[in-house]
Amino acid sequence: YKVTKKVISEIFFDLFNEVKKFLENFLTYTLYGILLEKAIEYYQKSIEVDSNYFDSYHNLCLVFYKTDEFEKAASYCNKA
């Protein structure tokens, strides 16, 4: 089989784009996860400082809802 430069270029380009998409998604979700973990940490510290601060409970409710941790989300929503 004779493979032309054009075919090789197209295959390489397609492969490159797939790898690029994968890495972009991986980095996005990794960074998103790290940011959510930090948000949880800071909101919990905020509650330690002022247990009457509504926004911290509300935001923890939203973070846990976004991460499909519905029991934790409900618990913080009830506290808000």
Side-chain angles (χ1 to χ4, degrees):
Y1 296 89
K2 188 175 183 180
V3 180
T4 65
K5 284 184 180 181
K6 182 179 178 186
V7 171
I8 292 173
S9 293
E10 289 174 3
I11 292 170
F12 179 77
F13 183 75
D14 288 345
L15 179 61
F16 175 79
N17 282 333
E18 290 301 316
V19 169
K20 182 180 171 191
K21 285 181 202 173
F22 171 79
L23 290 175
E24 286 171 350
N25 288 335
F26 176 77
L27 289 174
T28 298
Y29 287 114
T30 300
L31 290 174
Y32 182 70
I34 291 169
L35 291 174
L36 287 177
E37 287 175 15
K38 281 296 182 189
I40 291 168
E41 179 184 331
Y42 289 128
Y43 290 133
Q44 288 174 335
K45 283 182 182 179
S46 162
I47 289 170
E48 289 174 16
V49 171
D50 182 359
S51 61
N52 294 317
Y53 189 57
F54 162 83
D55 286 340
S56 295
Y57 293 104
H58 177 255
N59 290 335
L60 278 168
C61 170
L62 296 176
V63 168
F64 286 122
Y65 182 81
K66 282 281 215 187
T67 57
D68 296 335
E69 296 182 63
F70 300 116
E71 286 182 27
K72 287 183 182 179
S75 172
Y76 282 105
C77 283
N78 289 331
K79 291 177 184 178

